[in-house]
Amino acid sequence: MNFTPIDEIPKIREVLRNTFRKGVTRPLAWRKHQLLQLARLTQENADAFANALAADLGRPRLEAFLGEVGPVFERALACAEKLEDWAKPTQVEVPVWQKSWNPTVYKRSKGTVLIISPWNYPMILSLQPLYGAISAGCCAVIKVSEIAPNYGELLARLLPRYLDPSAYRVVLGGIPEVTRLLELQWDHIFYTGNGRVARIIAAAAAKHLTPLTLELGGKSPVIVDGTFDIALAAKRMLWGKITNAGQICVAPDFVLVLREKQEELAAALKVAHDSFYPEGALNSMSRIISDTHHKRLRGLLERTQGKIIFGGRTDEKRGFEPTIVKDVSEGDSLLEEEIFGPILPLVPVDSVEDAIEFISSRDNPLVLYAFTEDEKTKDALIERTTSGNLVFNDVFQQLSVNELPFGGVGESGYGRQVLRYSYDNFVYDRACLDIPRSAESDLAVRYPPYTDDKLSFFTSPPLNTKIPKSVNGTGH
């Protein structure tokens, strides 16, 4: 990968800022064209993107189209179709005496933005924020991960062939290049990655009072209470764990299973594994991205106090078998950090209540999964847990519903994305009033001299309006 010269980075930003100032990105027709060009970029180079993802991650072709190529294409088209509706001004409801003021909310572009994307799903996690920025009328720099060099080089080569290079640019590089980017002022930063780096980015953004979207991860738990079909639950959660070899922020990280159901679940996971990979998994799955991450995963497995049920084999090509570990308890190596690999710990608990307490005592996850048909359990999880998303009886499907917001809370990030929510990151609500001369009769009471009658006009509502009765929600 040929890195972008560091001294070119401020120049790139200045080109984009000038484009924004000139109003090039303002017309909706221009934005729609760029969105359709993004769809063409995806469609006409689908094979090249799939090949780059295979070279970087060993990703199976089906996973490349399911999780990256297909969604980017579909959502770019959807943005172009829906843009006019998203961008139209909104008239707000006001008291009768203010109606003549024409109170309106306009969606306005924030300006020139920075998108910092990771290596694990490099295509959708760079181009999904981009279609939001394009829809919003922003200019954008995309800093792609140097750990996925084939994708980065491909995008850097193709993007200027399809999108306006005075508005959208790719920066290639590592820590020095992203450090230089963060020294500059941006109108919004969209970062996808981990909490450690997010803190660095947030600190850099704070120097310029730059707003952020942080799409992070964490340990997304699964609860299994035994009321849902165990075999189907095992099949679905294992698929979530083997997709991209578990290197995805919404992968099931660990399973809180009722103690009496642990053995049944373990057996069902083995059956599901054997049906997925009758010839073995090592040559059929995505690779672990680097030797460093491969070593980290092996270290977690070596230190666990749980019992490995199956899996655990690796190879010199950074392959790593799906690995199930049972009887994992608090303090185990597999519960220390986000696993981000194909290892699934089973943590036995005595009750759903214990599972809720376990989850509530830890950082808020990006997503909480639960396999249950018990409505009381569902209600308890809705009311008493905190997570970015909550999904019952499957995994990953929150990513397939375009109309739902996706994002974290607390340690798992903040801000939302997908279609309208991606657009919303890069616009702000601009309130506008147009107060006519005819409104002067309603406004005269504000002017000096301040008489008793004028004072009474302002004091009467707060001092004389009766407050409705209320009941303490706790019942006390």
Side-chain angles (χ1 to χ4, degrees):
M1 178 185 285
N2 295 316
F3 287 4
T4 303
I6 289 179
D7 60 358
E8 288 294 314
I9 290 174
K11 299 175 185 177
I12 291 171
R13 187 198 63 151
E14 196 57 33
V15 168
L16 269 57
R17 286 167 67 87
N18 287 335
T19 299
F20 183 78
R21 290 192 195 105
K22 292 175 182 176
V24 172
T25 65
R26 193 175 303 134
L28 296 186
W30 186 92
R31 300 185 206 176
K32 283 185 178 181
H33 175 65
Q34 298 299 310
L35 289 165
L36 294 176
Q37 284 293 95
L38 181 60
R40 292 184 183 100
L41 163 66
T42 304
Q43 184 182 69
E44 294 174 7
N45 300 280
D47 287 339
F49 281 120
N51 291 339
L53 295 170
D56 287 333
L57 292 147
R59 178 166 296 161
R61 188 174 178 81
L62 185 149
E63 289 185 18
F65 277 84
L66 173 65
E68 305 219 59
V69 178
V72 170
F73 174 76
E74 172 194 352
R75 291 169 185 174
L77 290 179
C79 286
E81 178 185 348
K82 298 173 184 293
L83 179 56
E84 287 189 13
D85 183 57
W86 296 346
K88 66 184 178 183
T90 303
Q91 301 288 324
V92 299
E93 288 297 321
V94 294
V96 173
W97 65 280
Q98 293 177 326
K99 286 186 179 296
S100 67
W101 301 5
N102 191 29
T104 306
V105 177
Y106 293 93
K107 297 291 185 182
R108 284 294 176 259
S109 311
K110 287 184 177 178
T112 301
V113 305
L114 173 62
I115 296 165
I116 304 175
S117 62
W119 52 262
N120 62 319
Y121 275 79
M123 184 176 182
I124 195 164
L125 295 180
S126 58
L127 300 186
Q128 183 152 276
L130 179 62
Y131 73 59
I134 295 172
S135 301
C138 292
C139 296
V141 166
I142 307 170
K143 165 59 179 72
V144 293
S145 173
E146 72 279 13
I147 303 177
N150 291 281
Y151 169 77
E153 290 181 341
L154 179 64
L155 184 66
R157 186 170 70 252
L158 292 177
L159 198 74
R161 299 181 188 176
Y162 290 84
L163 301 189
D164 187 337
S166 74
Y168 306 107
R169 296 286 293 273
V170 175
V171 167
L172 302 177
I175 292 175
E177 289 73 20
V178 78
T179 299
R180 185 69 183 103
L181 284 165
L182 291 172
E183 290 171 351
L184 303 174
Q185 186 272 333
W186 303 92
D187 298 304
H188 192 93
I189 297 175
F190 191 115
Y191 168 73
T192 304
N194 61 63
R196 178 184 60 80
V197 176
R199 286 170 167 80
I200 296 170
I201 292 172
K207 295 178 181 178
H208 300 288
L209 298 181
T210 299
L212 290 166
T213 300
L214 297 178
E215 191 62 68
L216 310 180
K219 297 183 74 64
S220 293
V222 183
I223 294 176
V224 176
D225 70 356
T227 61
F228 186 83
D229 185 315
I230 291 286
L232 184 55
K235 183 179 182 181
R236 290 178 173 182
M237 76 176 72
L238 183 65
W239 173 76
K241 198 60 172 174
I242 56 97
T243 299
N244 200 35
Q247 298 168 113
I248 178 170
C249 58
V250 293
D253 194 272
F254 61 93
V255 182
L256 296 164
V257 56
L258 292 189
R259 198 174 302 277
E260 63 271 20
K261 295 292 182 179
Q262 181 181 220
E263 295 302 327
E264 183 181 355
L265 177 61
L269 286 165
K270 181 65 166 66
V271 170
H273 172 273
D274 292 347
S275 71
F276 290 168
Y277 302 113
E279 304 299 326
L282 276 180
N283 295 318
S284 303
M285 288 174 55
S286 294
R287 307 277 102 184
I288 302 303
I289 187 63
S290 68
D291 292 337
T292 299
H293 285 286
H294 198 259
K295 181 179 179 180
R296 178 185 63 83
L297 289 170
R298 295 199 313 270
L300 291 176
L301 207 54
E302 289 167 0
R303 292 190 294 115
T304 183
Q305 298 300 305
K307 180 180 179 182
I308 298 175
I309 301 171
F310 66 84
R313 291 192 307 160
T314 63
D315 65 24
E316 68 282 357
K317 300 177 183 178
R318 300 196 304 274
F320 206 115
E321 279 188 328
T323 305
I324 308 300
V325 184
K326 72 174 186 177
D327 291 327
V328 174
S329 58
E330 186 67 91
D332 194 89
S333 62
L334 297 178
L335 298 179
E336 292 174 354
E337 60 184 17
E338 184 177 8
I339 292 174
F340 225 66
I343 305 170
L344 186 62
L346 306 185
V347 182
V349 293
D350 293 320
S351 65
V352 171
E353 182 66 30
D354 287 347
I356 292 174
E357 289 298 318
F358 190 97
I359 293 167
S360 299
S361 67
R362 307 171 76 87
D363 292 332
N364 297 327
L366 183 56
V367 57
L368 168 58
Y369 299 112
F371 288 87
T372 179
E373 292 187 342
D374 188 316
E375 294 302 319
K376 290 183 178 179
T377 296
K378 292 180 182 180
D379 289 343
L381 293 175
I382 292 169
E383 295 296 328
R384 296 174 52 203
T385 63
T386 301
S387 61
N389 294 114
L390 173 60
V391 178
F392 294 111
N393 301 326
D394 207 344
V395 298
F396 286 15
Q397 293 310 313
Q398 71 276 17
L399 302 178
S400 69
V401 183
N402 290 338
E403 294 73 22
L404 285 177
F406 174 75
V409 57
E411 193 70 21
S412 54
Y414 48 80
R416 293 295 180 265
Q417 63 174 316
V418 181
L419 291 191
R420 174 64 183 266
Y421 299 98
S422 294
Y423 165 84
D424 285 342
N425 283 305
F426 300 105
V427 296
Y428 70 95
D429 290 336
R430 189 183 193 186
C432 181
L433 294 174
D434 184 0
I435 303 170
R437 284 183 291 176
S438 61
E440 187 62 16
S441 60
D442 291 323
L443 300 174
V445 71
R446 66 186 176 172
Y447 300 124
Y450 297 149
T451 65
D452 288 343
D453 286 343
K454 291 179 179 178
L455 178 62
S456 177
F457 178 86
F458 289 107
T459 59
S460 182
L463 298 182
N464 298 321
T465 300
K466 187 175 181 180
I467 300 172
K469 291 183 179 180
S470 61
V471 177
N472 190 325
T474 62
H476 299 295

